Amino acid sequence: MRALFASWEGPGGLSTRGAGKSARRMIVGALALVAMAAGSVAQADLTIDITRGNERATPIAVVPFASEAGNLPEDVAQIVADDLERSGYFEPLPRSSMFEQPSSSEEVRYGDWKALETRYMVVGKVSQSGGQAEIQYELLDVNGESRQIGETVTANGSDLRSAAHYISDQIFEEITGIRGAFSTRIAYVTSQGLGDNTQYGLYVADADGQRSQQVLTSDEPIMSPAWSPDGQKLAYVSFETERPSIYVQNLGTGQRVKLTDFEGLNSAPAWSPDGRRLAMALSRDGQPEIYVMDIASRNVQRLTNTNSIETEPAWTPDGQSIIFTSDRSGGPQIYRMSASGGSAERLTYTGNYNARGRISPDGESLFLIHRGNNGYQVAKQDLGTGRLVEISDAQQAESPSVAPNGTMVIFATQQGSTGVLGAVTADGRAQFRLPAAQGDVREPSWSPFLN
Amino acid sequence: MFLKPYARSLVVAASLAVLAGCSSTGGTQDGSMDGSGTAGGAGTGTAGTGQVSGTGVNGSGAGQMAGAQIPQGRTIYFDYDSDTIRSEFESLVNSHADYLSSNPNAHVVLQGHTDERGTREYNLALGERRAGAVERYLNLRGVSPSQVEVVSYGEERPAARGSNEDSFAQNRRVVFAY
């Protein structure tokens, strides 16, 4: 009823010049989202607690970047080091162990860094001219005593955080061969209070929990945020009319539309990979069933027809199939059917509670919530072998959402009785939490690549 | 006959005390242990009373006297993973059925709720199943379908906070919101 929504657009951006790699020039407007509407003040930033490190992480030294302009508003090297550590692939050298702080490859004495058993190092410097910051950074292979990347990144305005995440992406991809996902964003739902006094919020923040922006606030529940494949819109469920309806909101313009208002449940929207259709769970014909809506025409096609609950649809990356949760066997299990309907194949057989599945970007793994001896945990099932392993070590895990590069899963969990976000690497080796300063946080949704 | 409803409500209160974990202090949330005093009227602001001791339960044989006013008890509770109306709440549901039958213009929203365990969207469906069970029961008792609407909140509007059975039991509920 009282729902406010915000919009923003991104005049900021950054461009880069490559030296060591092929020259490149790019504008990343979507990265720098600036609040436009009053009330969309950042107030739900999340912090990071690493709860399980990866013993096999690659040691890397990210040396503090020299600044020719005095103190900068952001510590670029620290942001890069934090990104790399959070990925679980890297173990940054503590700054206290750095006995010298070179800012370019010419100043590096490799022998000293080999002694610290550092495999890679990142050095750089920041200069400012006009309203722009130029960041020159280099990625060095310590063992090979060679430069792997040398690049200058230009950040418009004071948008050093976007530039830092961009640098993290380049370093990550250069070393692992996997595209970095540090310049992506997450959407999540917050709540504060109890009962009638509960306030719900929908936010979007950087993947590291910083620079949060309010998208919607309401005194009725908000659920199930889902990014459109182009990263420009969110679908979600809002109870603002005291009934659940599915809405789609453009993050740039703030424009939004109520997409469904059927009797009963209007829930669990999931975009098709081409962005033209939304799968959803509706109970307008009785029990909750899976439907697909053609967004342009608003035509709705029913895909399942059972006496049980069917919900939590998600598309396979090729757009050919939909997976969903059904309790047709007596308890919730995950099934797969053609995106045009027809018979469904049961995918999960381990345990008696498997729900809310999401398929990895390569289509080979199913991430889900599994209830076993450790309660509700994020689990990963190999779709080839059918083998299921728990990858989180958390309290009441919910709502897994896979990073667009498939390396991490973000999910909701609890710390004490407070809802927080957690993330775990896809192999379960490293895990961290993103607590909010106040209130409960839940239902994270990882954006697609935005650049 | 005169005492019977009162005795029955005592049974309800006693069983709720059991349900609430016999904490005996009763002071954790609002002391009434029925949840509706704090959040049972979620989203409507109408169902704020609901002391269990004041349910005014009409025994099944008291049909003639029923229907004068909205029964005060607005919240019934469910066992884990169940949509079965527990026997101790049958008389309360019956009194709502009698009220609705006697007042064809009255309209009720059955708000279905679950505890926090499990996934949110599946719980939203379970909350609907729970409220739907009450709806079917009312229909069997002669209430017109047009008088009843089901809205599930799943685990989104808990009446009590805390990851313990006491809170879970207070949250697994259907609220009659007039």
Side-chain angles (χ1 to χ4, degrees):
Chain A
M1 197 171 294
R2 276 147 297 188
L4 301 170
F5 56 96
S7 67
W8 61 78
E9 50 190 49
L14 57 96
S15 60
T16 63
R17 288 198 305 276
K21 303 179 75 174
S22 61
R24 68 175 87 200
R25 181 168 288 275
M26 57 183 297
I27 303 292
V28 194
L31 289 181
L33 299 168
V34 176
M36 292 294 287
S40 62
V41 184
Q43 57 180 19
D45 281 3
L46 309 169
T47 54
I48 305 269
D49 293 340
I50 294 195
T51 54
R52 189 204 294 160
N54 178 7
E55 291 172 3
R56 283 189 262 174
T58 301
I60 187 168
V62 185
V63 181
F65 288 5
S67 169
E68 294 168 2
N71 286 337
L72 293 166
E74 300 285 353
D75 185 338
V76 174
Q78 190 65 54
I79 295 169
V80 171
D82 290 345
D83 281 347
L84 296 174
E85 181 174 23
R86 240 176 33 249
S87 75
Y89 283 74
F90 294 96
E91 181 188 359
L93 184 73
R95 286 184 173 179
S96 56
S97 303
M98 299 176 188
F99 42 83
E100 55 194 12
Q101 298 194 344
S103 61
S104 72
S105 54
E106 293 88 50
E107 299 169 19
V108 171
R109 291 178 295 193
Y110 284 103
D112 295 347
W113 297 90
K114 283 180 194 168
L116 292 168
E117 299 187 335
T118 293
R119 182 80 179 75
Y120 296 95
M121 61 189 298
V122 179
V123 296
K125 56 186 139 192
V126 184
S127 57
Q128 283 187 300
S129 60
Q132 293 195 321
E134 276 203 343
I135 306 170
Q136 293 174 50
Y137 77 95
E138 296 168 279
L139 170 66
L140 310 173
D141 179 339
V142 174
N143 282 350
E145 300 191 11
S146 62
R147 185 171 86 166
Q148 292 195 253
I149 300 178
E151 190 176 18
T152 299
V153 181
T154 304
N156 285 342
S158 57
D159 193 15
L160 290 169
R161 294 201 73 90
S162 296
H165 294 314
Y166 168 82
I167 292 169
S168 302
D169 284 337
Q170 305 314 306
I171 293 168
F172 186 84
E173 181 167 357
E174 177 69 23
I175 297 174
T176 67
I178 302 167
R179 184 174 176 185
F182 303 109
S183 299
T184 56
R185 310 202 90 204
I186 50 172
Y188 51 91
V189 175
T190 62
S191 77
Q192 275 191 279
L194 188 65
D196 282 343
N197 297 319
T198 308
Q199 275 295 320
Y200 300 85
L202 175 61
Y203 284 83
V204 169
D206 287 359
D208 64 358
Q210 297 296 303
R211 297 195 292 189
S212 60
Q213 304 280 344
Q214 187 177 280
V215 176
L216 180 76
T217 179
S218 176
D219 53 9
E220 298 288 338
I222 301 168
M223 294 181 70
S224 309
W227 291 87
S228 61
D230 63 7
Q232 296 187 1
K233 297 185 281 293
L234 281 181
Y236 54 83
V237 173
S238 168
F239 283 67
E240 65 201 61
T241 62
E242 298 185 356
R243 309 283 183 277
S245 288
I246 296 173
Y247 296 78
V248 170
Q249 183 166 338
N250 185 306
L251 293 173
T253 65
Q255 180 201 17
R256 68 178 199 151
V257 291
K258 186 197 276 187
L259 215 54
T260 72
D261 194 12
F262 296 112
E263 189 180 338
L265 290 189
N266 296 262
S267 66
W271 298 85
S272 62
D274 64 8
R276 294 182 182 166
R277 290 167 291 169
L278 271 185
M280 57 187 68
L282 306 173
S283 63
R284 61 174 198 173
D285 299 321
Q287 295 278 344
E289 303 283 355
I290 306 298
Y291 296 74
V292 169
M293 172 183 276
D294 178 82
I295 295 172
S297 68
R298 303 284 173 88
N299 285 336
V300 170
Q301 181 194 359
R302 179 173 172 175
L303 297 191
T304 58
N305 194 342
T306 65
N307 292 319
S308 50
I309 289 171
E310 338 288 327
T311 185
E312 299 173 340
W315 299 74
T316 54
D318 63 7
Q320 298 297 305
S321 306
I322 289 174
I323 61 165
F324 59 98
T325 304
S326 170
D327 67 357
R328 61 184 69 177
S329 72
Q333 297 290 346
I334 296 174
Y335 294 76
R336 177 172 54 198
M337 66 182 167
S338 161
S340 53
S343 62
E345 166 201 10
R346 180 170 165 180
L347 296 178
T348 52
Y349 287 92
T350 308
N352 57 15
Y353 195 112
N354 294 298
R356 228 286 195 161
R358 292 290 184 268
I359 303 279
S360 63
D362 64 9
E364 292 178 4
S365 304
L366 167 67
F367 294 95
L368 67 151
I369 295 300
H370 168 74
R371 185 179 64 199
N373 293 335
N374 304 315
Y376 296 88
Q377 298 292 349
V378 180
K380 177 188 187 181
Q381 179 167 319
D382 183 309
L383 286 172
T385 66
R387 196 169 81 94
L388 180 146
V389 288
E390 292 179 8
I391 59 170
S392 70
D393 177 13
Q395 186 188 337
Q396 301 229 25
E398 293 187 321
S399 308
S401 176
V402 189
N405 65 1
T407 61
M408 300 212 79
V409 179
I410 194 165
F411 58 96
T413 178
Q414 296 197 337
Q415 191 170 19
S417 60
T418 301
V420 299
L421 302 186
V424 62
T425 52
D427 59 11
R429 282 204 205 122
Q431 182 174 303
F432 61 88
R433 276 192 301 251
L434 296 91
Q438 52 188 341
D440 289 303
V441 189
R442 60 204 190 211
E443 294 204 87
S445 177
W446 210 313
S447 80
F449 289 116
L450 299 172
N451 49 0
Chain B
M1 195 64 186
F2 183 73
L3 284 176
K4 201 175 173 188
Y6 179 60
R8 223 177 244 258
S9 67
L10 279 184
V11 171
V12 172
S15 61
L16 278 169
V18 170
L19 174 151
C22 297
S23 66
S24 81
T25 62
T28 51
Q29 294 296 325
D30 61 353
S32 69
M33 288 181 291
D34 70 343
S36 59
T38 49
T44 64
T46 56
T49 55
Q51 292 292 316
V52 170
S53 58
T55 49
V57 173
N58 293 294
S60 51
Q64 304 92 320
M65 300 161 63
Q69 54 186 343
I70 299 174
Q72 285 189 306
R74 305 283 168 84
T75 307
I76 65 172
Y77 299 90
F78 291 78
D79 291 335
Y80 176 62
D81 203 22
S82 168
D83 60 0
T84 304
I85 297 170
R86 295 190 339 219
S87 55
E88 70 260 39
F89 293 114
E90 274 180 25
S91 58
L92 176 56
V93 179
N94 289 342
S95 67
H96 282 281
D98 293 342
Y99 172 77
L100 289 162
S101 298
S102 308
N103 297 276
N105 293 325
H107 184 261
V108 68
V109 176
L110 300 174
Q111 300 174 336
H113 300 269
T114 68
D115 68 34
E116 66 185 26
R117 290 173 288 180
T119 64
R120 288 180 177 273
E121 288 150 340
Y122 183 62
N123 279 342
L124 195 65
L126 290 176
E128 184 181 63
R129 180 183 276 175
R130 206 162 254 166
V134 178
E135 180 183 38
R136 281 192 302 280
Y137 185 95
L138 293 176
N139 292 342
L140 287 172
R141 297 278 302 188
V143 177
S144 164
S146 65
Q147 289 178 269
V148 184
E149 184 183 0
V150 163
V151 174
S152 176
Y153 285 90
E155 61 176 287
E156 306 304 315
R157 271 197 179 276
R161 268 188 87 97
S163 297
N164 51 66
E165 184 47 45
D166 189 3
S167 300
F168 295 157
Q170 291 187 58
N171 290 334
R172 290 190 301 265
R173 68 202 194 277
V174 167
V175 177
F176 291 77
Y178 285 91

